[in-house]
Amino acid sequence: GSDIGLQKCFRTLCCKGPPPPRPEYDVVCIGLMGSGKTSLLSRLCSEATDNIVPTTGFSIKAVPFQNAILNVKELGGADSIKKYWSRYYQGSQGVVFILDSASSEEDLEVARTELHSALQHPQLCTLPFLILANHQDKPAARSVQEIKKYFELEPLARGKSWILEGSTVDNMDVVKESFGQLIHLLEEKDHEIGRI
């Protein structure tokens, strides 16, 4: 008797067929050196983060989420590389900008300038932005509200779709949730274009 039960069970499994393919989106990830780009992305991919070195040039990671796969092109944050960022913007569908909430005034100033030029860049200006105020766990970290004010996001990014969230490498649930919001914006944009 138990045999039939098994067969029935097996058949149900087989008839389901493969799960529908998850949509893939190409996303560019930028931010100053030391803002935590590589660590966050490695954690999202469940890779070890103990021997991370500064990214020279760029690296691409396919980051799997429940309802989409993000092909994240992470650009190194060093000054020597930063000036070439825009060469890699082509084909991006979304932008992740990571900043160090606990960095010095000077660095925040630079980060703000970089974010502003990204938000205004012809290849990025219409795309959804996820801005992560990283290292929220450091004593010197500024709050998300402070960052929002300091980065003048309200006037600058009005009419754009952007998300600003705090993040720490130790709380990946929050980071995943933030990326989930980005995926939602990407999906909305997809529907608008009608590329379904």
Side-chain angles (χ1 to χ4, degrees):
S2 63
D3 210 28
I4 294 171
L6 272 176
Q7 278 179 332
K8 204 165 123 195
C9 174
F10 188 67
R11 212 172 35 239
T12 343
L13 282 175
C14 286
C15 298
K16 275 212 179 93
R22 287 176 282 184
E24 293 192 26
Y25 297 105
D26 294 325
V27 173
V28 65
C29 175
I30 52 180
L32 303 190
M33 195 156 87
S35 56
K37 300 183 293 297
T38 308
S39 298
L40 282 176
L41 292 171
S42 298
R43 286 298 295 273
L44 280 173
C45 294
S46 315
E47 296 169 358
T49 52
D50 36 17
N51 49 6
I52 280 178
V53 294
T55 304
T56 49
F58 69 96
S59 75
I60 295 182
K61 283 185 166 64
V63 188
F65 292 92
Q66 246 174 340
N67 47 353
I69 294 168
L70 296 185
N71 296 313
V72 182
K73 189 190 294 175
E74 178 202 343
L75 307 183
D79 290 342
S80 53
I81 306 167
K82 227 165 47 193
K83 50 177 184 279
Y84 300 115
W85 276 358
S86 56
R87 291 190 182 175
Y88 298 102
Y89 290 167
Q90 185 94 37
S92 303
Q93 293 165 285
V95 184
V96 178
F97 187 94
I98 300 180
L99 63 102
D100 177 0
S101 317
S103 59
S104 65
E105 286 293 323
E106 296 94 316
D107 280 350
L108 268 190
E109 188 84 22
V110 178
R112 178 170 74 178
T113 308
E114 292 297 347
L115 177 59
H116 285 200
S117 53
L119 281 163
Q120 291 160 327
H121 192 278
Q123 285 178 327
L124 304 182
C125 61
T126 57
L127 306 180
F129 271 70
L130 168 60
I131 303 156
L132 289 179
N134 199 24
H135 301 317
Q136 281 292 313
D137 46 347
K138 290 191 181 167
R142 294 156 187 79
S143 71
V144 172
Q145 277 320 103
E146 287 173 285
I147 297 276
K148 188 176 184 173
K149 215 155 105 190
Y150 181 82
F151 275 72
E152 297 163 335
L153 280 170
E154 287 296 355
L156 184 79
R158 189 170 293 139
K160 299 181 190 293
S161 48
W162 56 277
I163 302 148
L164 169 65
E165 295 285 354
S167 61
T168 66
V169 171
D170 293 329
N171 189 344
M172 288 318 284
D173 289 346
V174 171
V175 175
K176 284 180 180 151
E177 204 158 290
S178 305
F179 271 88
Q181 293 182 48
L182 176 66
I183 290 169
H184 185 69
L185 292 176
L186 288 165
E187 288 168 346
E188 279 185 353
K189 211 166 163 49
D190 239 7
H191 289 281
E192 268 171 43
I193 306 168
R195 275 201 333 200
I196 303 304

